[in-house]
Amino acid sequence: MFTVSGSPRTKVEAASPPLHKRGKDAASAGEYIVHMEGVDIYDPVTNTVRSTGAEKVAAWFLDSDYDGRCFCVCQAFFPDKTAWEKSRQGARRRS
């Protein structure tokens, strides 16, 4: 299966009030909210970058302990509720 990846455009803010740790402010509790604004995808054929909004992103992944070398998915988000059905139908056509 061919996969396209791109550079995400995100906004990160401290959760206010903290989501889980009562009595601490959000930043010291280590709780943040990440908003997916969209993604920029490089097209090697035209040598251009194409931007798309968050509504076109089928899935995005978060590594809450990224060390700059190895990306390990800690959380996966699938905002397009029809993405799984589309993948299943595409796989069925290939068989």
Side-chain angles (χ1 to χ4, degrees):
M1 183 182 279
F2 177 71
T3 308
V4 175
S5 60
S7 179
R9 288 189 320 278
T10 59
K11 182 175 82 174
V12 179
E13 63 181 290
S16 179
L19 301 173
H20 300 290
K21 304 196 170 63
R22 290 184 165 69
K24 295 183 177 181
D25 69 353
S28 66
E31 296 180 354
Y32 297 88
I33 297 172
V34 178
H35 300 276
M36 168 62 81
E37 295 179 340
V39 67
D40 297 330
I41 300 170
Y42 174 69
D43 182 347
V45 175
T46 61
N47 195 30
T48 59
V49 175
R50 181 172 37 97
S51 295
T52 185
E55 69 281 352
K56 296 287 188 178
V57 176
W60 62 284
F61 309 100
L62 181 65
D63 180 348
S64 59
D65 192 31
Y66 182 60
D67 63 2
R69 295 178 292 151
C70 181
F71 186 90
C72 297
V73 176
C74 296
Q75 295 181 38
F77 302 91
F78 300 94
D80 181 357
K81 304 294 185 219
T82 63
W84 286 112
E85 180 62 24
K86 291 175 187 174
S87 295
R88 187 174 66 81
Q89 288 174 353
R92 206 182 290 157
R93 276 181 258 164
R94 290 188 189 104
S95 332

